């Protein structure tokens, strides 16, 4: 598979600054309060942007990448909280699929995570991009890399009981606040995507201790995978 222009998204500045440092032939365009940076990264044509935190920001950013900039694949890079107890800080999760954990119409008889009246509520990642991400991750010198379900919601999860529920009932491997929005918009437009998340905390109430400390380190690990992926596209 050949992609001509890749959309690269991170929610926070720390998640994209390493890419921005290496971006050449840069052209900056502001749309809907989001700064899009067109240029060349690892010899490939890319559009880099910081979406902002949350599903609405991520959805708007993704649709603009598709409509305004004509990207034909999207990679989301950043950090997340681990749900799988086998994961540790610094481990990498590559999305097998994405789902919204805060979509909850259970009072109407829909299982949690189900989008009412929609054809699907689970959005698979592109297998070619997943394979490239795994291959890039396997070259990391330390830490585990796993494929799994990325759960998204407009909540910072910091409660052990919620972590257990999201892992056991919804099959989540990690949790964050944007990936499923990117995944759904990509699915609606027929655009391949993958989410790459490095664990910055264990989503268990200890984030106030380790989130700030490990966010930059975790983002660097995620960046390394993106760099190798784009180089090999």
């Amino acid at each position: 598979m050949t992609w001509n222009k890749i959309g690269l998204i991170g929610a926070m500045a720390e998640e994209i600054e390493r890419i921005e440092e290496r971006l050449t032939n840069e052209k900056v365009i502001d749309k809907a309060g989001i700064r899009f940076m067109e240029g060349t990264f690892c010899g490939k044509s890319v559009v880099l942007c910081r979406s902002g935190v949350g599903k609405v920001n991520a959805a708007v950013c993704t649709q603009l990448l598709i409509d305004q900039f004509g990207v034909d694949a999207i990679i989301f890079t950043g950090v997340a909280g681990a749900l799988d107890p086998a994961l540790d800080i610094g481990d990498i999760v590559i999305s097998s699929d994405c789902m919204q954990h805060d979509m909850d119409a259970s009072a109407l008889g829909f299982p949690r995570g189900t989008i009412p009246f929609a054809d699907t509520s689970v959005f698979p990642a592109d297998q070619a991009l997943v394979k490239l991400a795994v291959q890039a991750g396997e070259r990391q010198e330390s830490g585990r890399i796993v494929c799994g379900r990325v759960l998204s919601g407009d909540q910072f999860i910091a409660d052990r009981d919620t972590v257990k529920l999201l892992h056991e009932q919804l099959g989540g491997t990690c949790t964050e606040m944007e990936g499923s929005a990117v995944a759904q918009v990509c699915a609606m437009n027929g655009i391949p995507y993958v989410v790459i998340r490095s664990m910055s905390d264990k989503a268990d109430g200890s984030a106030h201790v380790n989130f700030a400390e490990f966010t930059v380190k975790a983002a660097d690990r995620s960046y390394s995978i993106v760099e190798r992926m784009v180089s090999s596209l």
Side-chain angles (χ1 to χ4, degrees), residues 8-22 34-35 37 48-54 57 76-79 178 197 211 215-220 222-223:
L8 302 176
I9 310 175
M12 302 183 296
E14 296 90 341
E15 296 171 325
I16 66 166
E17 61 186 4
R18 290 282 302 280
I19 301 174
E20 186 175 359
E21 289 170 359
R22 291 198 56 191
I34 301 170
R35 175 155 292 188
M37 294 163 277
L48 174 67
C49 53
R50 177 173 64 86
S51 64
V53 174
N57 283 327
F76 197 106
T77 177
V79 302
E178 297 85 24
R197 292 289 192 176
F211 182 76
T215 291
V216 174
K217 294 179 181 178
D220 283 348
S222 184
Y223 161 80

Side-chain angles (χ1 to χ4, degrees), residues 168-206:
E168 295 181 354
Q169 293 189 14
L170 297 184
T173 304
C174 69
T175 180
E176 35 87 298
M177 302 175 75
E178 297 85 24
S180 67
V182 173
Q184 183 172 348
V185 173
C186 284
M188 294 169 73
N189 288 274
I191 298 294
Y193 87 92
V194 69
V195 174
I196 302 167
R197 292 289 192 176
S198 181
M199 301 303 101
S200 61
D201 64 274
K202 294 180 72 72
D204 60 358
S206 62

Side-chain angles (χ1 to χ4, degrees), residues 35 39 51 62 75 79 97 109 123 157 164 197 221:
R35 175 155 292 188
S51 64
T62 303
I75 301 171
V79 302
D97 55 37
F123 303 97
I157 303 300
K164 184 176 181 182
R197 292 289 192 176
R221 288 178 57 78

